[in-house]
Amino acid sequence: SLFNICYEEEEEKLIEDLSNIKNIINKQNSQDVFLKELGVNVTTSERIVASLMICTNSKVAEYFAKNGYPFIYRHYTDDRSCIDKSILDNVPNCERERCDHFLEEIGKTSNNAVYSLEGKNHDGLGLGYYSHVTSPNRRYADIIANRCIDNFCFSDLTDKQIKDFEKYLKDEVDYLNDRLEGIKNYYDDYAKFVLTRK
C-alpha cells in the first residue's frame, strides 16, 4: 500500500530496498522462525523490522565475540523437559489435556534463557551468537549492550577502565539472571497454584 502513495522516486526506491533486505534475511534465516516468533498475522513491514532487529542483534554479538571484547550475550536453550509435570498427577483425567497444554505454555514463558559473558548458541533462532541490542528504550539488557558498543567501538579505554567495566558487566549479568530466575519461579508457582486449586 505504501507504493500507492509514493510521490518521490527516492521513497519508492527505499521501499524496494527494504523489501529486498527482508527477502535476503529471510533466505538466510528460516521463515518458520519468524512465523513462530511473530505469529501468522504480521505485516510485511513488521517482518522487515523483526528481521532487521534479529539480524542486528546477531551481527553485533558476533562482532564482539570475534574481536574478544567484553559483551553481554543472550543464550537460549529450548528444553521443555525442565517443566515439572508431576502436578498433573493431582488433576482429574478429564482435565489433563487442558492442564498439560497450560504447562506447555508456561514452559514457553519460563524458558532457559539467560544472559552470559560468553557467546553461546541461541537455539530458538538457530544462531551462533545473539544479544539484545536493538531495544534500549524497553529492555535494560540492551542499555548494557549499548554501553559495550560505546566503550569498545567509539572510546579508547585504558586497561584499568576495561577491567572496571568487565566487573560492572559481570555484576549486571548476574543481576539480570537473578531477575529471570525470579520470573521463572513465579510462573512455576503460578502453574502449581492454578492446577491444584479446588
Side-chain angles (χ1 to χ4, degrees):
S1 63
L2 284 172
F3 273 113
N4 296 329
I5 58 169
C6 283
Y7 299 109
E8 300 287 331
E9 201 172 295
E10 288 178 14
E11 291 173 340
E12 194 170 316
K13 177 80 171 97
L14 173 64
I15 293 166
E16 188 178 322
D17 288 346
L18 287 172
S19 184
N20 288 335
I21 288 169
K22 179 194 73 116
N23 292 334
I24 291 167
I25 291 170
N26 284 346
K27 285 178 188 160
Q28 290 177 350
N29 299 293
S30 169
Q31 181 68 15
D32 294 340
V33 169
F34 297 112
L35 292 176
K36 184 176 77 174
E37 293 296 317
L38 302 170
V40 178
N41 298 322
V42 293
T43 64
T44 299
S45 59
E46 288 171 317
R47 285 182 196 217
I48 291 171
V49 170
S51 298
L52 290 174
M53 289 175 78
I54 290 169
C55 187
T56 300
N57 288 335
S58 176
K59 290 299 180 187
V60 170
E62 183 181 331
Y63 172 83
F64 273 82
K66 288 187 175 177
N67 285 285
Y69 297 136
F71 196 62
I72 178 173
Y73 298 93
R74 180 75 164 166
H75 174 58
Y76 174 81
T77 304
D78 190 4
D79 180 13
R80 304 276 164 80
S81 64
C82 66
I83 301 169
D84 180 12
K85 293 197 175 184
S86 65
I87 56 175
L88 290 175
D89 296 341
N90 301 324
V91 175
N93 285 337
C94 62
E95 292 289 316
R96 281 213 180 146
E97 186 177 333
R98 183 182 65 80
C99 294
D100 187 49
H101 177 71
F102 176 77
L103 280 178
E104 287 292 325
E105 291 303 310
I106 289 289
K108 289 178 191 174
T109 308
S110 61
N111 56 45
N112 294 326
V114 294
Y115 290 100
S116 174
L117 297 175
E118 299 174 37
K120 298 178 183 177
N121 289 346
H122 191 295
D123 292 346
L125 295 172
L127 297 170
Y129 300 102
Y130 198 73
S131 186
H132 282 156
V133 176
T134 54
S135 299
N137 59 330
R138 67 183 178 90
R139 256 190 322 238
Y140 183 56
D142 299 61
I143 293 172
I144 298 168
N146 277 272
R147 285 194 70 186
C148 293
I149 293 168
D150 184 51
N151 283 338
F152 296 99
C153 296
F154 300 105
S155 300
D156 190 18
L157 300 182
T158 65
D159 289 343
K160 182 183 180 335
Q161 288 172 319
I162 291 172
K163 194 170 188 81
D164 290 344
F165 185 78
E166 286 174 331
K167 181 180 178 341
Y168 156 81
L169 196 57
K170 183 192 177 316
D171 291 344
E172 295 307 301
V173 165
D174 291 344
Y175 169 80
L176 286 169
N177 286 330
D178 285 347
R179 302 289 73 76
L180 289 173
E181 185 65 26
I183 291 168
K184 181 185 181 312
N185 291 339
Y186 169 80
Y187 279 113
D188 289 347
D189 290 345
Y190 178 71
K192 288 176 188 168
F193 168 74
V194 168
L195 295 178
T196 57
R197 70 181 171 196
K198 302 249 184 233

